[in-house]
Amino acid sequence: MKWFMLSLLIAALILPGLSHPTVAGPRLSARAAALVDVATGRILYEVNGRLRAYPASTTKVLTGLLALELGDPQSEVEISQRAAGVEGSSIYLARGERLSLESLVYGLLLSSGNDAAVAIAEFIGGSVEEFANLMNQRARQLGATGSHFTNPHGLPDDNHYTTARDLALISAAAMRNPAFRTIASTKRKVIPWPGRDWDRALYNHNRLLWAYDGCDGVKTGYTRAAGRCLVASASRNGLSLVAVVLDAPNMWEDATRLLDYGFQRYRNYEVVRGGSYLRTVAVHDGSPGRVGLVAADGFSLAVTDQELSRIHTQLEAEGTYRAPLEKGEVLGHLRVFLDGSEIGRVDLVAAERVQRVRLVPALFRRVYELFILLWQGGE
């Protein structure tokens, strides 16, 4: 009887694990880590994801994103004494030197130039302090509410901190920016060096660009206070992931394990394709009298096989619209849900232009045509 009861206990412990297998997370040296789906900003895995930590030069992900969102890449930036004299990693900017904003972002993300970071901050924000305010505002917009930034480069400051989760959300947004993605994935870039007989050759510090299949970014970081930090991104088969590891002695191995875990467990699922027809609606006083609603953009997300059945969509649009309508005009939304929570939405736009029909002139024209027919018939 004892053996029988023991066998039942063993079965109760083992069988659930067989019927609902779990995938163990990767073993990491990092004090904090996170893995995020770039398309949606959904956190797929984390270790101490909300633990406050120093970001070091991974701060420059947000600096670069703001530069490209708020500035014209071809704008000319004059380098100040403050920028030229900042300590730490540098692309050797000189006071009074002039470079394009785009060149400075390359220097920021490839060579981790602290001088480039200050020059960008002063140009975009007017001062380093005001730029830090912009950084904090943008971080909150992205849901990174556990962070606070005081500078654009990540040099140590007790009030300059983030979390692995927050940095993952910021980095996912950055990698959704095509210009940022292009720069972060560049291995080598030559930019001008005014006053010299040669140009600056910048080399990306992210060794995974050469070593990891599909790697397309993002940024390294190190200070004694922060330890080794890395934001690494990669794309395979339509799925784009970002791994963040903070205070990670083995940061290259940690990021590789996180990305491997993501690609093994998740796959890209296309919910809707950009430009696809989703519904036809009536248009009052319109010519034509109906118009198709199409998805303005595509929408995909990272899912496991078990999650596919838990995705559903909700189309929000009126049954009738009033003319005139312009092609591309937003008329509704397609909301995407996973496990009952909204994970994204796509604008639904008019597939074509719909002109307004002037009913009174049209009525007179029909009466006139009928009169002519009757007159001709009378002859």
Side-chain angles (χ1 to χ4, degrees):
M1 187 64 177
K2 291 181 179 179
W3 286 107
F4 177 73
M5 294 301 294
L6 182 60
S7 65
L8 286 179
L9 178 60
I10 293 173
L13 293 172
I14 295 177
L15 289 178
L18 294 176
S19 58
H20 301 284
T22 59
V23 177
R27 297 182 64 181
L28 306 174
S29 69
R31 191 161 65 97
L35 179 71
V36 65
D37 173 23
V38 168
T40 64
R42 177 188 172 207
I43 301 295
L44 305 178
Y45 181 79
E46 59 185 329
V47 176
N48 296 327
R50 290 181 168 85
L51 181 69
R52 186 178 292 184
Y54 296 124
S57 284
T58 59
T59 298
K60 292 164 184 167
V61 174
L62 181 54
T63 301
L65 176 61
L66 282 174
L68 297 171
E69 287 181 338
L70 301 179
D72 178 355
Q74 302 311 312
S75 296
E76 189 176 68
V77 180
E78 182 173 349
I79 309 304
S80 70
Q81 181 58 49
R82 182 175 184 179
V86 69
E87 63 179 299
S89 56
S90 173
I91 60 170
Y92 307 104
L93 296 173
R95 179 183 178 180
E97 182 180 347
R98 293 177 177 271
L99 283 175
S100 71
L101 180 62
E102 181 182 61
S103 292
L104 290 173
V105 178
Y106 272 102
L108 176 85
L109 296 179
L110 272 65
S111 296
S112 200
N114 292 342
D115 48 358
V118 172
I120 290 169
E122 292 178 331
F123 179 74
I124 297 295
S127 68
V128 168
E129 293 74 20
E130 184 55 35
F131 185 78
N133 291 332
L134 295 176
M135 295 174 75
N136 290 317
Q137 291 173 17
R138 188 68 176 108
R140 287 192 294 271
Q141 290 172 357
L142 295 172
T145 57
S147 300
H148 187 264
F149 300 97
T150 62
N151 63 63
H153 39 61
L155 289 175
D157 185 315
D158 289 344
N159 292 316
H160 187 93
Y161 53 82
T162 190
T163 69
R165 170 181 278 262
D166 283 4
L167 191 53
L169 295 175
I170 292 167
S171 300
M175 291 303 288
R176 290 193 295 269
N177 183 299
F180 184 99
R181 193 183 193 106
T182 295
I183 294 173
S185 64
T186 300
K187 296 178 179 178
R188 180 181 182 271
K189 179 71 174 180
V190 174
I191 64 171
W193 202 334
R196 303 287 183 108
D197 294 331
W198 58 88
D199 292 326
R200 290 180 172 92
L202 308 175
Y203 294 89
N204 204 311
H205 293 179
N206 182 7
R207 67 171 70 167
L208 292 185
L209 289 172
W210 289 266
Y212 191 83
D213 181 30
C215 182
D216 47 17
V218 174
K219 188 71 189 72
T220 60
Y222 173 78
T223 64
R224 184 174 298 177
R228 299 188 181 279
C229 304
L230 176 63
V231 179
S233 67
S235 301
R236 294 180 185 174
N237 301 317
L239 178 61
S240 293
L241 304 175
V242 165
V244 174
V245 292
L246 300 176
D247 193 6
N250 302 320
M251 67 179 191
W252 304 112
E253 294 84 352
D254 284 357
T256 296
R257 288 170 182 165
L258 269 177
L259 292 170
D260 283 347
Y261 169 85
F263 288 122
Q264 290 165 9
R265 183 167 171 76
Y266 293 89
R267 64 184 177 89
N268 183 63
Y269 175 69
E270 186 178 53
V271 178
V272 62
R273 183 169 298 176
S276 58
Y277 276 79
L278 296 179
R279 178 176 290 181
T280 300
V281 294
V283 182
H284 186 64
D285 294 345
S287 177
R290 303 182 72 80
V291 68
L293 300 184
V294 302
D297 300 292
F299 184 85
S300 300
L301 72 157
V303 294
T304 64
D305 291 338
Q306 293 76 21
E307 289 173 332
L308 280 175
S309 62
R310 309 203 300 267
I311 297 171
H312 75 275
T313 60
Q314 179 179 318
L315 193 151
E316 295 182 343
E318 302 294 332
T320 303
Y321 291 86
R322 184 174 294 276
L325 298 174
E326 295 298 325
K327 182 178 180 180
E329 184 176 341
V330 177
L331 301 179
H333 305 280
L334 182 72
R335 301 172 65 191
V336 183
F337 296 85
L338 175 63
D339 291 330
S341 297
E342 184 173 341
I343 197 167
R345 63 173 57 194
V346 177
D347 288 340
L348 301 181
V349 299
E352 59 183 319
R353 185 172 183 266
V354 180
Q355 295 181 331
R356 184 176 181 181
V357 177
R358 301 180 64 188
L359 294 180
V360 174
L363 179 61
F364 277 121
R365 185 174 64 253
R366 294 293 298 275
V367 171
Y368 174 77
E369 291 172 351
L370 180 60
F371 176 78
I372 294 297
L373 287 173
L374 291 173
W375 180 268
Q376 290 175 345
E379 293 181 348

